[in-house]
Amino acid sequence: MEKTPTPTHCPYCALQCGMNITPLPQGGVEVTERADFPVNRGALCGKGRTAAEVLSPAVRLTTPLVREGGRLVEADWPEALDRIAGRLAATRERYGPDALGVFGGGGLTNEKAYTLGKFARVVLGTSQIDYNGRFCMSSAAAAGTRAFGLDRGLPFPLEDIPRTGCVILVGSNLAETMPPSLRFFTELRENGGTLIVVDPRRTRTAEQADLHLAPRPGTDLALALGLLHLVVAEGRTDEEYIRERTTGWEEARAAAMAHWPEYVERITGVPVPLLREAVRMFCAPEAAMVLTARGPEQQSKGTDTVGAWINLCLATGRAGRPLSGYGCLTGQGNGQGGREHGQKADQLPGYRKLDDPAARRHVAGVWGVDPDSLPGPGRSAYELLDALGTDVRALLLMGSNPVVSAPRAAHVEERLRSLDFLAVADVVLSETAELADVVLPVTQWAEETGTTTSLEGRVLLRRRAVAPPPGVHSDLYVLHELAARLGVEKGFPTDPEEVFAELRRASAGGPADYSGITYRRLTEENGVFWPCPEEPGGTSRAEDGDAASSAVSAGPAAHDASPSVRHPGTPRLFLDRFATPDGRARFVAVAHRATAEEPDAEYPLLLTTGRVVSQYQSGAQTRRVAELNAAAPGPFVELHPRLAARLGAADGEPLAVVSRRGRAVAPARITDTIRPDTVFMPFHWPGEGRANTLTNPALDPTSRMPEFKSCAVRVERVEVVPGS
């Protein structure tokens, strides 16, 4: 009997590309294109196309593991759960609730992220919860909130990009990180628009650009200020827009005018004629956009850097208008939703602030607890990891691999080893899971139903297509069972749709309002953009929930009625007003400052890090796929021929990259597509080639984002012993 394909979404990046999953008669599943989803229109990158490989029991966890005599050995679920609950309870009893830590991930569904935050605050009573999305887009989120009053990765759908006049793409190599999205930029150029790429490397994305600016790592802030200086000096500001829709311009303009072109050229290495050309290209068309990614954001001044690019948009009237605006290319699969619903140290569901009394009252009412019982804000991700083994004695970790992904990774690994107790729930035995006292095997994307929120702010429904292997349970089951063992028997359902119904109530009235979104709508409409409040007179939540239950199993044809009133969702934000009290966008005066660690005689070069097309994040999943490993088998050190000649290094021979935090060794890859003063390493691998052994945990004062993108290093040849 032929199986019907299940429409769902990719487990990897924030594009959340549509795909179909079909179980095969001989076992396993087939991934095929799904042309009806507008973001990828059927296109899939190699990671998405091979995503089903990680469903195989041969490469993933299928039974709980507990540590006995220094080794992880198989156990049953009751034993594993009892051990976790017992150790968490004992630690809390001895040291207090803030001795318990919770660390989440930007790949968790909205339902899981919501429940994890609720579990930390209601069951454990701890403030010590954060997630790896802090390492991804937190500076852009902080800058967007500061300027616009609201953070959503893109305030417009990707389909607007081909119809604008110019895009400045800052610090993104989307040809490798989000390959299906490149078509929007190709179409932009085919339609007569222009693309400016800002990147220290001439990447595959930069090769597509009409203009490539290659600043020294860590100088994007100066670059943006220099462009704004030229906009003012050349009379290209939109004075009417500034007057009617913004505040703070006088101070921001004065700050920018201190960054004259020749000064900016000295800082960035970008020649003045290219600065002038970039301003001409950006200001010539009626509409334009600035999109940032990790390059400018993963800096100790990332919030101000993004703020400077936002100032450029505001000064030219390029925000809150059709086909114009600032946007962030969110990285992780649910990086947007993951930061909206409570697993971040300072937030409650609906993007509410944890220190807001009204927000606490609303969410506590949904949860059925006293608002005063909710802990306050806790430590940010790196600060939480740095406190392990001292202030934080036991950690529950879901969906993250900080042994590979955190800055100053050797120190983080040491902190994890120093814990009294570590429990990890994951799909695979990651490098972090290998350190745990208990490891729980959990379901993954094709084995469970749940929602994610893409970089566009489009809430999507991933559908269960196959059953998990015997002995594998969902993260919701884990939290339900732990809550019961810790004395909270209600409020932690295992049905994702029931969780989503509660999330809707908790988010209602908040900045990220999902209250008008249901599983049925997500099925019928191919996703819904938030904010989407429930309209008065619309179908009740109970009725929608009942209908959605049948929709997940029977598909859209199961529906024979629609709500009488529906909010349509919000594909495009800020067209009428910004989300600030007065409806105006805020300029913020910022000035260039150096990176936290500048080169010197001992460490004369700059290291920057990033991704390659065939691996994803810490590589915990993609490194288990043979096709992807064949394409990207291991780390490398990218360096310019002039630097290679100075070192006497040959292509392919091992090089050591040394920072103040450690040493990493990987083969040389010599190319003229990188600046001579810069080396690049991808960060997907553990072991001696671990790039994050080197990176600097210096934190942005606002976002608490570590400075992954720039640190001082030296490069040394490694003597190879014959026969070794």
Side-chain angles (χ1 to χ4, degrees):
M1 181 177 174
E2 189 171 335
K3 297 281 189 178
T4 302
T6 300
T8 190
H9 295 273
C10 179
Y12 292 117
C13 83
L15 287 181
Q16 287 296 281
C17 291
M19 58 172 57
N20 288 314
I21 301 293
T22 308
L24 298 173
Q26 65 272 29
V29 302
E30 179 183 35
V31 173
T32 54
E33 295 81 5
R34 181 181 156 202
D36 70 316
F37 189 60
V39 169
N40 61 309
R41 306 176 205 162
L44 293 171
C45 73
K47 295 185 290 292
R49 188 169 40 77
T50 61
E53 297 292 321
V54 188
L55 297 172
S56 169
V59 300
R60 49 95 62 87
L61 292 165
T62 58
T63 187
L65 304 173
V66 298
R67 191 166 296 280
E68 296 286 357
R71 296 188 310 113
L72 288 172
V73 299
E74 292 187 359
D76 60 26
W77 274 92
E79 177 187 358
L81 291 166
D82 286 346
R83 189 173 296 201
I84 296 172
R87 294 298 298 273
L88 293 178
T91 301
R92 182 173 59 184
E93 177 68 24
R94 182 173 181 183
Y95 298 105
D98 275 357
L100 304 179
V102 177
F103 199 87
L108 300 179
T109 63
N110 290 317
E111 292 81 357
K112 294 177 184 180
Y114 171 84
T115 305
L116 188 64
K118 181 180 178 182
F119 177 84
R121 294 175 175 113
V122 172
V123 178
L124 301 182
T126 183
S127 67
Q128 301 303 302
I129 175 172
D130 210 68
Y131 81 125
N132 62 15
R134 181 78 70 168
F135 299 157
C136 188
M137 74 298 291
S138 57
S139 290
T145 301
R146 191 167 68 178
F148 306 130
L150 182 69
D151 156 54
R152 195 180 83 184
L154 294 181
F156 41 73
L158 284 162
E159 65 189 36
D160 283 2
I161 289 172
R163 300 189 294 142
T164 193
C166 177
V167 174
I168 302 180
L169 186 63
V170 189
S172 172
N173 182 15
L174 53 80
E176 299 205 46
T177 60
M178 297 179 171
S181 71
L182 190 62
R183 67 172 57 194
F184 294 102
F185 298 87
T186 301
E187 290 170 11
L188 164 74
R189 299 183 70 214
E190 290 172 349
N191 292 340
T194 54
L195 175 62
I196 302 169
V197 171
V198 179
D199 199 302
R201 305 162 61 224
R202 194 170 73 247
T203 63
R204 288 173 55 191
T205 306
E207 293 281 2
Q208 308 297 314
D210 297 282
L211 179 65
H212 174 213
L213 307 180
R216 184 172 174 267
T219 64
D220 306 271
L221 174 53
L223 178 64
L225 287 163
L227 297 180
L228 182 53
H229 177 110
L230 287 170
V231 164
V232 175
E234 295 177 6
R236 298 179 183 271
T237 56
D238 187 331
E239 294 297 327
E240 182 181 359
Y241 174 93
I242 291 170
R243 185 170 56 255
E244 294 183 354
R245 297 204 62 187
T246 72
T247 61
W249 170 232
E250 294 301 325
E251 296 82 358
R253 179 176 60 186
M257 297 314 288
H259 298 77
W260 59 95
E262 292 76 14
Y263 172 57
V264 169
E265 178 179 323
R266 289 200 301 274
I267 294 169
T268 66
V270 178
V272 171
L274 294 187
L275 298 176
R276 295 187 183 279
E277 178 64 5
V279 167
R280 185 197 67 77
M281 290 170 62
F282 183 66
C283 294
E286 184 177 343
M289 300 173 179
V290 172
L291 305 177
T292 67
R294 306 301 81 75
E297 297 163 17
Q298 288 181 326
Q299 299 185 25
S300 60
K301 53 183 182 294
T303 302
D304 283 354
T305 300
V306 173
W309 289 103
I310 291 174
N311 285 350
L312 180 65
C313 290
L314 295 176
T316 53
R318 306 304 177 82
R321 283 178 167 172
L323 307 180
S324 285
Y326 163 76
C328 161
L329 296 172
T330 301
Q332 294 189 78
N334 196 33
Q336 181 68 51
R339 68 183 184 264
E340 294 169 2
H341 296 300
Q343 65 172 334
K344 192 162 173 274
D346 58 351
Q347 283 178 353
L348 288 169
Y351 229 146
R352 288 180 158 91
K353 300 297 288 183
L354 189 54
D355 56 4
D356 176 359
R360 294 170 67 88
R361 284 194 302 272
H362 174 83
V363 174
V366 174
W367 289 350
V369 299
D370 183 342
D372 292 339
S373 70
L374 299 178
R379 293 176 171 89
S380 70
Y382 180 77
E383 292 166 305
L384 173 56
L385 294 171
D386 189 41
L388 299 181
T390 53
D391 294 338
V392 177
R393 311 298 294 254
L395 181 70
L396 173 64
L397 185 145
M398 286 185 163
S400 186
N401 188 19
V403 165
V404 178
S405 63
R408 197 185 174 196
H411 172 72
V412 169
E413 180 177 347
E414 178 186 302
R415 293 290 85 217
L416 285 159
R417 291 181 183 277
S418 73
L419 282 164
D420 295 346
F421 181 75
L422 171 63
V424 173
D426 209 334
V427 171
V428 297
L429 190 66
S430 70
E431 287 72 23
T432 303
E434 289 176 352
L435 305 181
D437 298 287
V438 179
V439 182
L440 300 176
V442 291
T443 51
Q444 50 182 311
W445 61 291
E447 301 163 348
E448 59 189 13
T449 294
T451 61
T452 62
T453 307
S454 75
L455 78 170
E456 302 175 295
R458 189 195 305 251
V459 185
L460 302 165
L461 184 64
R462 284 188 192 161
R463 298 164 178 86
R464 174 174 163 143
V466 295
V472 174
H473 292 294
S474 74
D475 298 273
L476 295 179
Y477 171 86
V478 169
L479 295 172
H480 169 85
E481 292 292 320
L482 291 177
R485 284 166 167 80
L486 290 165
V488 181
E489 299 199 1
K490 293 183 179 180
F492 290 87
T494 59
D495 175 15
E497 190 172 4
E498 187 177 346
V499 175
F500 190 74
E502 183 179 300
L503 181 157
R504 293 171 57 208
R505 296 195 299 275
S507 74
D513 190 333
Y514 283 31
S515 61
I517 303 174
T518 65
Y519 275 25
R520 180 170 78 176
R521 287 195 66 177
L522 297 178
T523 300
E524 291 178 339
E525 301 174 35
N526 225 348
V528 178
F529 291 85
W530 71 260
C532 182
E534 185 176 51
E535 296 286 3
T539 299
S540 74
R541 294 184 178 96
E543 290 167 342
D544 263 358
D546 293 340
S549 297
S550 62
V552 172
S553 58
H559 307 305
D560 56 10
S562 296
S564 57
V565 179
R566 277 181 172 173
H567 187 286
T570 315
R572 295 168 181 87
L573 296 170
F574 312 138
L575 294 181
D576 298 318
R577 57 178 282 124
F578 295 97
T580 55
D582 61 5
R584 293 170 173 263
R586 305 183 189 99
F587 282 97
V588 178
V590 295
H592 169 72
R593 58 184 187 273
T595 60
E597 188 176 75
E598 289 289 313
D600 57 21
E602 188 176 2
Y603 301 98
L605 301 167
L606 285 169
L607 168 72
T608 193
T609 65
R611 286 169 47 190
V612 297
V613 67
S614 293
Q615 300 289 351
Y616 180 72
Q617 305 299 67
S618 76
Q621 292 168 297
T622 51
R623 285 187 275 111
R624 287 165 168 80
V625 178
E627 180 181 326
L628 300 178
N629 279 336
F636 55 86
V637 180
E638 190 176 279
L639 70 164
H640 193 275
R642 293 212 300 266
L643 176 57
R646 204 157 66 235
L647 295 168
D651 202 66
E653 77 174 31
L655 292 178
V657 183
V658 185
S659 78
R660 289 178 173 84
R661 288 153 295 283
R663 181 176 188 265
V665 177
R669 183 174 292 185
I670 300 171
T671 174
D672 63 1
T673 61
I674 192 168
R675 293 173 54 96
D677 58 2
T678 301
V679 294
F680 167 84
M681 290 187 72
F683 58 74
H684 310 289
W685 289 274
E688 71 170 3
R690 180 174 59 186
N692 277 320
T693 296
L694 308 167
T695 49
N696 190 354
L699 301 180
D700 179 285
T702 302
S703 69
R704 316 308 288 168
M705 166 78 85
E707 191 153 59
F708 286 99
K709 288 301 180 186
S710 179
C711 70
V713 298
R714 65 174 181 266
V715 179
E716 303 168 341
R717 294 181 64 195
V718 176
E719 295 299 325
V720 179
V721 178
S724 63

